[in-house]
Amino acid sequence: MVNVEITGGICGFTTQVFAEDKTGYKASFRLESDCPNWKRVDAILGGKELNMMTELFKDKKTGTLNSQVLDVSLKTIPHVSCPVISGILKALEVSVGLALPKDAAITFKR
């Protein structure tokens, strides 16, 4: 189980992502969030088994991306630059062994 905590920024909301390997490049996630929008995403996708090759990579033949995480997030979340979107995908990627766990950050320099 991979656990990632994401602080959204100026909104002040925190979201916890729990991603679990289901074997064969399949994984699921669930969210605990202060954000009502991410709670809706969790109600739609939370616990659903997802194919990580489809979620994380474009189709080699067509060049299209068929990510349910991106599709649902972009339809549900009013603020498309929310870092939770990439945090979910990174947690799923790590959960199936396609990446190593390493903190990432967006830092504003003043």
Side-chain angles (χ1 to χ4, degrees), residues 62-81:
T62 65
T64 60
L65 182 62
N66 298 304
S67 170
Q68 294 180 67
V69 171
L70 281 177
D71 288 345
V72 170
S73 296
L74 293 175
K75 289 176 183 168
T76 308
I77 305 302
H79 192 220
V80 298
S81 65

Side-chain angles (χ1 to χ4, degrees), residues 72-94:
V72 170
S73 296
L74 293 175
K75 289 176 183 168
T76 308
I77 305 302
H79 192 220
V80 298
S81 65
C82 179
V84 175
I85 297 169
S86 59
I88 292 169
L89 292 169
K90 185 54 72 176
L92 287 166
E93 184 176 39
V94 169

